[in-house]
Amino acid sequence: MRTPLIAGNWKMFKTVAETVAFVTDLRDLVKATASVDVVVAPPFTAVHAAANAARQTKIGVAAQDLYWEKEGAFTGEVSPAMVKEAGAAYAIVGHSERRRLFGESDAIVNRKALAAIGAGLTPIVCIGETLEERERGEMLAVLDRQIKDGLDQLSADQVGALVVAYEPVWAIGTGRTATSAQAGEAHAHIRKRLRQWFGGDAADRCRILYGGSVKPDNIRELIAEEDVDGALVGGASLDVRSFADLVTRSGRPAV
Ligand code: PGA
């Protein structure tokens, strides 16, 4: 019922020229795959170019972050309406690198998610425990807090329409993927909480992506889990062939 979504988080990689070349190649490589939503998240500087190159294709563009204010004296920040006008349809919020390196709290993630929705963007809200939290047995409590506080004040409809990315921090960029059983367990827990807090319809509609060292050779196993609706991919999204492989392995051929 939920269309799989494969999203590439490029982080601080790719210039405008590299972005245009990537999206141009990607268009052809994923043309024949039906029923998978495809999203790329370039740096802010390349959002507009990516959106232009993706025009009239099924490739969507995401911003990697945004600020919650509409405009003002906030040097270095970019507003939701600005990325929307540049052509983004999605915005990643609360990525673990933002939380760890830039001090983003759940309250900040919440403001960003609300602001993204207010501008007509689909937030991709990232959550996930660190290795220490997992080893202390706190994984589920951490996920609960991140969901509860990160999605505070959102309506059931808004939660149903957004994307959650479960990214165990210990699996990001480490080559150490969660097993499909570990991902399945976390995703089932997240969906259970969404059902409790936002109702069955929101929980059934909300797409929950797995992120953390996803590669073409492990995507099939991960996506076979009932509650894994796709992937948020860092490293393996930078090479267009590897990213296109992830898309084709998540869908079926177009008829
Ligand atoms: P990775 O990154 O695929 O390189 O582990 C995932 C992410 O940070 O979203």
Side-chain angles (χ1 to χ4, degrees), residues 96-104:
S96 69
E97 285 150 19
R98 303 282 333 159
R99 293 177 188 259
R100 185 168 48 90
L101 301 172
F102 303 98
E104 288 193 9

Side-chain angles (χ1 to χ4, degrees), residues 9 11 95 97 167 171-174 211-215 232-236:
N9 171 17
K11 310 190 178 184
H95 188 276
E97 285 150 19
E167 301 203 299
I172 295 179
T174 58
S213 300
V214 175
K215 305 272 179 311
L232 181 57
V233 187

Side-chain angles (χ1 to χ4, degrees), residues 37-53:
D37 288 342
V38 181
V39 168
V40 293
F44 284 130
T45 44
V47 165
H48 190 243
N52 273 344

Side-chain angles (χ1 to χ4, degrees), residues 1-2 156-157 159-161 191 194-195 198-206:
M1 177 184 54
R2 294 178 293 269
D157 252 9
V159 171
R191 188 144 355 249
L194 295 178
R195 182 162 283 114
F198 298 97
D201 182 57
D204 288 341
R205 282 170 47 224
C206 178

Side-chain angles (χ1 to χ4, degrees), residues 1-167:
M1 177 184 54
R2 294 178 293 269
T3 306
L5 170 61
I6 300 296
N9 171 17
W10 292 355
K11 310 190 178 184
M12 203 172 77
F13 290 96
K14 294 196 191 295
T15 61
V16 170
E18 288 164 346
T19 297
V20 172
F22 184 107
V23 175
T24 307
D25 290 344
L26 183 65
R27 287 194 309 218
D28 291 334
L29 292 169
V30 301
K31 206 160 48 193
T33 305
S35 51
V36 182
D37 288 342
V38 181
V39 168
V40 293
F44 284 130
T45 44
V47 165
H48 190 243
N52 273 344
R55 201 178 290 154
Q56 282 167 18
T57 73
K58 65 205 197 100
I59 302 166
V61 177
Q64 295 176 17
D65 186 28
L66 40 67
Y67 194 61
W68 57 82
E69 295 288 351
K70 287 197 168 64
E71 58 185 9
F74 305 105
T75 301
E77 296 296 332
V78 177
S79 80
M82 288 170 185
V83 295
K84 168 94 176 160
E85 192 228 16
Y90 298 79
I92 299 172
V93 297
H95 188 276
S96 69
E97 285 150 19
R98 303 282 333 159
R99 293 177 188 259
R100 185 168 48 90
L101 301 172
F102 303 98
E104 288 193 9
S105 62
D106 291 314
I108 287 178
V109 174
N110 180 241
R111 293 179 87 159
K112 292 186 170 185
L114 284 164
I117 292 168
L121 295 160
T122 300
I124 300 175
V125 181
C126 302
I127 62 176
E129 81 286 358
T130 63
L131 187 58
E132 298 72 49
E133 288 163 342
R134 176 173 274 259
E135 285 172 348
R136 286 200 300 263
E138 293 168 7
M139 172 183 113
L140 300 182
V142 167
L143 296 181
D144 285 356
R145 191 201 67 225
Q146 292 176 334
I147 300 166
K148 199 172 209 55
D149 295 350
L151 302 185
D152 189 31
Q153 295 178 60
L154 269 71
S155 69
D157 252 9
Q158 290 170 335
V159 171
L162 60 71
V163 178
V164 171
Y166 168 63
E167 301 203 299

